[in-house]
Amino acid sequence: MSPSDNAKARLQAETVITTHVNPDYDAVASMVAALKLYPGAVMLFPGGQNRNFRNFFVQSLLYLCDVVRPRDLDFASVRRLVVVDTRQASRLGAAAPALNNPGLDVHLYDHHPDGPDDLRGSFEAVESVGANVTLMTERILAQELPVSPQEATMLALGLYEDTGAFTFGSTTPRDLRAAAVLLELGADLPVVAELTSRELSAEQFSLLHELVLAAETRDIRGRTVVISMARRETHVEDVAVLAHKIMDMLGADLLFVMVQMENMVQVVARSRLRDVDVGRVALALGGGGHSSAAAACVRGRGLEEVRADLEKILAETWGGLYRAGSLMAHPPIAIGADRPVKEAMDTLVRFSLNVLLAVDDEGRTVGIVGEHAVAKANHHGLADYPVRDVMTTEFETAAPEASFAEVKRVIIDQGQRLLPVIEPDGRALGVITRTDLLRLMAGEAGPDRDRPREKGGGPYERNLLGLMEARLPAETLALLREVGDLARAAQAPLYLVGGSVRDLIMNKPVRDLDLALAGDMTGLLTALAERFEGCKIKSHPRFKTATVTLGHGARLDFSCARVEYYEHPGALPVVSQASIQLDLQRRDFSINALAVSLNSEDFGAMLDYYRGYQDLREGFIRVLHSLSLVEDPTRAFRAARFAVRLGFKISKMTLGLIESALKRGFFQNLHPRRIMTELRLACQEEEAPLVLERLAELGLLRCVHPDLKMEPSNRELLRKAAKIREWFHLTFSERSAPFWLVFFLALVDNLDQKKALKLAAQFDVSRKAAMALVEERRRLGWIFSRYGRRRPGPELRPSEVDRLFAPVSRPGVLYLMSKASGESLSRAGAAYLAVYRRVRPASTGADLLSLGLPSGPGVQKILDALRAARLDGEVESLEEEKELVRRRFLGRPEADWRLWRSEAEETQGLNGAAKGQAKFYEA
């Protein structure tokens, strides 16, 4: 069909009635009412119909109406466009093309506040009522148009939903009068009640549960404000219904719910405050609504971006007495980024500061450097290094007109100790410190420049008790409460820390319970031994750690809250006891530097000093300070592992620090064993090929061996190895294999034997065991060269396959299966692992001696021959084995024994190193 024919096939309609995308009951009811006012018009839904419109009642009513789909309408034929429940052009969705028609007559019916992109019409009925359908009902009554009971029920449905059954602050007497008339016209209230109080679907219930758990409650001028966010891969209907329930459950005066679904963020706002118009808030986000209920669909922006927009709008809504320009201290004290670290130390001491700005040659602010980083750099002998090597480059700035709320967000919520107030050209006008802000919040008249600067800051706090109750088994939660009480009695506060908290927040299984004790461990261990009879305690006083295994198998890993320092870059840490804040400070990444209190007075309270919660929400791997990789360069390897495992990005600053650590040679200070341990852990990851690929991108494979690269052949081999691992786990569900070795062999596939020996020697094994790995590679290379590229032809007999693979380790067989370019060797390896290696002859040595064979080494050789014959199907029973022995071996000299049918000794030389290679894998 040609384009012109297709246009002719579309519906011609002079008058079209439409509304906003994602219409609610008020919008649909208003469209139905408009059909009464505009006979002969058609209804056009612009997109995103609510799933509840598929309800039988609504569906049956719409069936009687003239509804057209956008693709079936000839938009050029539209002469009049009737828009109900909105005036915003941006919310017309698929109906918007009609606006381009010359001479279009637009009629508008709306009850929302004015917006910047509002349409203008030749007729406008715009009045402040609780529901748009009230305006439509009044006009139907004024024209004395007939209304059926079914139509009255539909209009009442829109009226009841948009006024919250007349409980919203936006409800007017006109809405109540319209409802009274609709009841007189036969509106069925039981149907309205059923549709407005519908049961939640499984998806809605799950989302409601998550939103309640994630809700952040704050008190602003005596009003309870709740903000909650969640993410969903697919669309969930009726978020507005969930907002009503959250409002009631949490007793909120003001509620904002944000849900990221598919390619948009849906925002639902509700207010019980007459002086807070959430319609204007939604309008600023690109949506609309009225003062007590509003919504917006934000496209092209992430959840955290929309959250930031909302916070800014709220700050402007309540206003503020102070702006950044009036709070800052000026002029700021700064140091050139290329000046030596020792000069930064002098500046900090001279002015009694704990943090200062770093600027470039043009005076633009490029970083922040604190006394902690400077002191550590000096301790590690980096006093002559430039400041830019140790400064923090990820920081937020503020314009002079920034609100008090924005300043508070950066300094208090995110823990940034110094906030530069920046001119448009990047030069700093001044700075705001945490001390300045805290004094102001405490009610002091203004910043006191003469007092000492505050050292350290409070954490971002939120309570995770709801998450713990939802995601931890009841017995685990009860155990944590009990152990927390025992710790408190021992005067040593207890915290759940690290990966346990991270996995809890990310809704991943919490397999390990890592606990940090802010005090001496002796008293708690004694109490545990008395409380849990039969528990096993393994203590490590030197490292201030202990493992407690309870009788029912639960294991608790304790450590004293401690601080670590490094005597030189790459050294192992020296440990001493410290506070929980300093304990978290020693962690590798912000997402692992979270703690949850297990103490009765604040059980479930999360401590987050380093933006870990935000990084979990935004998906970033971030080190805690600029000297993190100086102290422990292996954190670079862990960053790659966590990034792939969690699907996160490595932060810009962390990437810069990895690059700097490589450039400065910090990895050379590491013991080779530590690097190989990290490589082994990388090969053990579920997504090992991707982790190794990431290590290559970061340049970290060169730290393992200068010639170790990620060639296309390695990538392909790793990909195949991952496929073989899937097959192995499906086939051998009860068995395990050290699969990290398969990925390791694939990674070093291009290294020659000499380089492989050097690399193997870096493992913490003997030289003999290292030689065994090299010998294994030689054996695998021989098999691959002989059979790995074999063209289609006769298959190897089972006995031949068995002789090939018997001297090879299981990881070696799996590696060969991955490397083989043809199917023959792969099938052979699979058959060997699954079947051949378990085959045994029915005969024993005693059976052979009873036949008259002399005792000696020859007996084992004959047993091997019988096994080969059974593999090849030549014999199937004990009698057949005996007959073969009589025919082939009895009465003949041992020198004439025919042990193998072909390729008799071809692989014999490969057997010599079998025991040696086993030592490597055992080590």
Side-chain angles (χ1 to χ4, degrees):
M1 180 181 293
S2 68
S4 60
D5 292 335
N6 191 40
K8 292 176 183 177
R10 292 180 181 147
L11 178 69
Q12 308 282 314
E14 288 192 4
T15 302
V16 171
I17 300 170
T18 192
T19 185
H20 53 78
V21 294
N22 299 311
D24 54 12
Y25 281 140
D26 187 31
V28 177
S30 296
M31 293 176 72
V32 171
L35 278 178
K36 310 287 292 181
L37 299 173
Y38 297 88
V42 298
M43 290 170 53
L44 175 71
F45 284 101
Q49 282 93 311
N50 189 298
R51 70 177 176 87
N52 291 295
F53 299 160
R54 296 193 288 272
N55 170 275
F56 176 76
F57 170 79
V58 180
Q59 202 173 47
S60 61
L61 179 60
L62 294 179
Y63 179 78
L64 300 175
C65 302
D66 199 351
V67 180
V68 62
R69 295 178 298 183
R71 66 185 182 188
D72 296 331
L73 177 66
D74 180 7
F75 280 94
S77 67
V78 179
R79 296 290 176 264
R80 177 191 293 155
L81 185 67
V82 180
V83 182
V84 299
D85 202 33
T86 187
R87 285 171 287 158
Q88 291 180 260
S90 59
R91 301 189 70 196
L92 292 187
L99 297 174
N100 299 323
N101 292 354
L104 181 70
D105 185 19
V106 179
H107 290 198
L108 301 171
Y109 297 83
D110 191 21
H111 69 131
H112 295 106
D114 296 341
D117 67 335
D118 283 351
L119 296 170
R120 302 300 300 177
S122 62
F123 172 81
E124 296 184 4
V126 180
E127 300 176 54
S128 180
V129 290
N132 195 75
V133 76
T134 296
L135 303 177
M136 313 303 293
T137 302
E138 290 173 345
R139 278 154 181 78
I140 289 174
L141 296 176
Q143 296 184 31
E144 299 181 349
L145 299 174
V147 178
S148 70
Q150 191 177 24
E151 291 169 336
T153 302
M154 184 70 232
L155 300 186
L157 179 59
L159 180 57
Y160 271 72
E161 183 190 53
D162 229 37
T163 61
F166 311 113
T167 62
F168 290 169
S170 57
T171 305
T172 68
R174 293 168 62 184
D175 299 301
L176 294 170
R177 285 194 289 269
V181 173
L182 293 173
L183 285 175
E184 292 176 352
L185 293 173
D188 192 335
L189 283 185
V191 171
V192 173
E194 179 184 350
L195 293 180
T196 55
S197 61
R198 50 197 172 271
E199 292 184 1
L200 300 182
S201 66
E203 294 85 358
Q204 288 174 316
F205 186 82
S206 173
L207 179 57
L208 174 64
H209 186 61
E210 183 173 340
L211 287 169
V212 171
L213 293 177
E216 299 176 20
T217 302
R218 61 180 71 169
D219 183 86
I220 301 179
R221 295 184 181 176
R223 284 90 173 261
T224 300
V225 181
V226 175
I227 299 177
S228 187
M229 302 189 299
R231 287 182 172 86
R232 282 295 182 272
E233 294 294 330
T234 56
H235 187 76
V236 179
E237 299 283 359
D238 278 348
V239 176
V241 173
L242 306 185
H244 285 306
K245 293 184 179 294
I246 295 171
M247 194 100 172
D248 294 335
M249 292 169 69
L250 301 181
D253 296 312
L254 191 62
L255 172 70
F256 296 94
V257 170
M258 290 166 281
V259 182
Q260 184 165 340
M261 298 181 288
E262 298 172 336
N263 61 344
M264 70 173 182
V265 176
Q266 185 169 348
V267 182
V268 177
R270 294 292 183 264
S271 173
R272 291 192 174 108
L273 306 173
R274 290 191 175 275
D275 57 342
V276 178
D277 185 350
V278 293
R280 294 194 176 279
V281 176
L283 186 64
L285 292 171
H290 41 78
S291 61
S292 60
C297 291
V298 185
R299 301 181 185 275
R301 293 177 68 77
L303 190 59
E304 294 296 339
E305 291 177 303
V306 176
R307 165 65 181 268
D309 293 341
L310 176 62
E311 293 281 8
K312 182 177 179 181
I313 295 167
L314 289 179
E316 293 171 352
T317 300
W318 271 287
L321 298 175
Y322 299 99
R323 296 288 174 178
S326 62
L327 292 172
M328 68 183 184
H330 59 91
I333 299 172
I335 188 171
D338 294 316
R339 303 302 301 167
V341 169
K342 59 186 178 185
E343 188 173 314
M345 175 63 81
D346 293 338
T347 303
L348 290 167
V349 172
R350 186 181 305 116
F351 294 100
S352 298
L353 303 174
N354 61 11
V355 64
L356 72 157
L357 300 181
V359 298
D360 62 15
D361 293 337
E362 302 296 324
R364 294 185 295 263
T365 303
V366 294
I368 296 175
V369 60
E371 63 174 351
H372 186 70
V374 169
K376 283 195 170 187
N378 188 60
H379 174 73
H380 291 307
L382 308 180
D384 293 320
Y385 279 52
V387 168
R388 69 172 61 253
D389 280 0
V390 300
M391 69 185 185
T392 295
T393 56
E394 289 183 348
F395 59 95
E396 293 199 30
T397 63
E401 63 272 18
S403 67
F404 176 83
E406 180 65 14
V407 172
K408 177 178 174 292
R409 180 186 67 82
V410 176
I411 294 180
I412 302 300
D413 297 346
Q414 296 188 5
Q416 184 172 310
R417 294 193 298 173
L418 187 75
L419 177 62
V421 181
I422 302 295
E423 293 182 291
D425 64 358
R427 297 172 184 269
L429 282 171
V431 294
I432 304 173
T433 69
R434 182 187 285 120
T435 303
D436 298 334
L437 188 61
L438 290 176
R439 289 201 185 104
L440 184 63
M441 293 172 65
E444 295 182 18
D448 186 348
R449 310 299 179 195
D450 297 327
R451 297 190 184 181
R453 304 290 184 184
E454 178 202 13
K455 300 190 183 226
Y460 169 71
E461 295 188 15
R462 98 188 248 119
N463 198 287
L464 299 187
L465 178 57
L467 281 182
M468 297 170 75
E469 291 175 338
R471 297 174 181 175
L472 291 178
E475 57 272 16
T476 299
L477 189 61
L479 175 63
L480 292 176
R481 285 186 182 276
E482 187 167 7
V483 176
D485 290 341
L486 292 175
R488 171 55 71 189
Q491 297 183 345
L494 188 66
Y495 301 87
L496 186 70
V497 294
S500 303
V501 182
R502 179 197 69 225
D503 292 341
L504 176 69
I505 294 171
M506 296 187 69
N507 200 16
K508 294 179 178 291
V510 180
R511 295 186 174 89
D512 302 314
L513 295 175
D514 298 323
L515 306 173
L517 196 69
D520 183 65
M521 192 179 295
T522 307
L524 176 59
L525 294 182
T526 301
L528 287 170
E530 294 174 354
R531 171 63 184 83
F532 299 101
E533 186 177 351
C535 72
K536 298 178 180 178
I537 299 177
K538 185 180 293 185
S539 180
H540 307 281
R542 178 185 173 189
F543 299 103
K544 303 184 184 300
T545 62
T547 299
V548 178
T549 304
L550 304 182
H552 56 278
R555 193 178 105 164
L556 304 172
D557 293 316
F558 291 93
S559 65
C560 282
R562 61 195 193 270
V563 65
E564 299 174 346
Y565 66 91
Y566 298 76
E567 294 182 342
H568 58 79
L572 290 172
V574 178
V575 178
S576 61
Q577 197 165 315
S579 67
I580 186 63
Q581 180 178 356
L582 291 177
D583 181 84
L584 296 176
Q585 183 178 309
R586 69 180 177 82
R587 308 279 168 164
D588 49 7
F589 307 113
S590 62
I591 61 171
N592 295 329
L594 298 165
V596 172
S597 173
L598 301 181
N599 309 300
S600 56
E601 64 271 18
D602 59 351
F603 190 90
M606 181 185 74
L607 301 182
D608 177 12
Y609 293 91
Y610 306 104
R611 297 174 56 193
Y613 186 80
Q614 180 177 341
D615 284 339
L616 278 176
R617 299 291 293 264
E618 296 180 353
F620 280 106
I621 305 297
R622 188 192 313 275
V623 295
L624 302 190
H625 55 84
S626 57
L627 293 178
S628 180
L629 296 182
V630 174
E631 295 178 342
D632 186 2
T634 63
R635 288 170 176 164
F637 289 84
R638 295 202 290 279
R641 286 197 284 117
F642 277 117
V644 173
R645 184 194 303 172
L646 303 178
F648 283 11
K649 295 179 181 179
I650 300 176
S651 76
K652 180 180 177 182
M653 183 185 80
T654 305
L655 287 173
L657 293 174
I658 293 174
E659 183 179 351
S660 178
L662 286 167
K663 181 179 177 181
R664 302 292 182 185
F666 293 150
F667 292 92
Q668 297 173 9
N669 298 320
L670 290 171
H671 192 287
R673 184 194 314 159
R674 294 188 65 195
I675 294 180
M676 294 307 291
T677 297
E678 292 298 329
L679 183 62
R680 174 173 180 161
L681 291 172
C683 291
Q684 287 175 335
E685 286 286 325
E686 183 66 26
E687 298 290 346
L690 294 179
V691 175
L692 295 172
E693 180 80 26
R694 193 74 175 104
L695 290 175
E697 292 172 358
L698 294 171
L700 294 173
L701 289 184
R702 298 197 304 271
C703 301
V704 180
H705 191 283
D707 295 326
L708 194 57
K709 301 176 182 178
M710 184 63 70
E711 304 287 355
S713 59
N714 297 106
R715 292 189 183 92
E716 180 63 16
L717 191 50
L718 288 167
R719 185 190 66 80
K720 289 183 177 179
K723 291 288 186 183
I724 294 296
R725 180 178 59 182
E726 292 177 12
W727 166 83
F728 184 87
H729 288 160
L730 288 172
T731 307
F732 305 98
S733 57
E734 300 301 323
R735 304 176 192 177
S736 61
F739 240 98
W740 74 269
L741 286 166
V742 182
F743 292 119
F744 175 78
L745 289 169
L747 180 65
V748 303
D749 185 68
N750 293 333
L751 293 183
D752 60 32
Q753 290 293 77
K754 184 177 180 181
K755 294 174 181 176
L757 176 60
K758 180 180 178 181
L759 185 59
Q762 293 181 198
F763 284 99
D764 190 21
V765 297
S766 65
R767 178 173 175 80
K768 185 175 181 180
M771 287 292 294
L773 175 62
V774 177
E775 182 59 29
E776 173 91 334
R777 289 183 80 239
R778 185 188 71 80
R779 184 185 309 110
L780 296 174
W782 184 91
I783 296 174
F784 179 76
S785 65
R786 185 69 184 270
Y787 300 101
R789 299 186 179 92
R790 176 175 280 189
R791 299 183 183 281
E795 292 284 335
L796 291 171
R797 287 190 298 275
S799 61
E800 294 173 328
V801 172
D802 183 69
R803 288 201 309 282
L804 279 177
F805 290 132
V808 178
S809 65
R810 266 197 304 173
V813 176
L814 295 166
Y815 162 74
L816 277 175
M817 293 171 63
S818 306
K819 189 174 174 64
S821 54
E823 294 185 1
S824 178
L825 190 61
S826 293
R827 285 199 301 267
Y832 171 77
L833 292 174
V835 180
Y836 300 164
R837 65 193 184 95
R838 297 200 301 271
V839 172
R840 297 289 182 270
S843 302
T844 64
D847 293 328
L848 298 185
L849 294 177
S850 69
L851 294 176
L853 287 171
S855 62
V859 173
Q860 184 58 51
K861 293 180 180 180
I862 295 175
L863 287 174
D864 291 342
L866 291 176
R867 181 171 180 272
R870 184 171 281 270
L871 282 167
D872 292 339
E874 295 180 16
V875 295
E876 297 181 356
S877 66
L878 177 61
E879 289 305 318
E880 289 179 352
E881 289 180 3
K882 290 181 178 181
E883 178 58 31
L884 185 146
V885 172
R886 296 187 188 99
R887 185 174 67 249
R888 192 180 296 180
F889 303 107
L890 278 180
R892 298 186 181 188
E894 187 172 344
D896 295 337
W897 286 355
R898 183 183 170 207
L899 298 175
W900 312 108
R901 298 201 314 169
S902 64
E903 300 187 23
E905 304 298 327
E906 194 166 344
T907 62
Q908 193 173 26
L910 295 177
N911 295 322
K915 293 183 179 179
Q917 63 87 19
K919 292 182 179 179
F920 173 80
Y921 296 115
E922 290 170 3

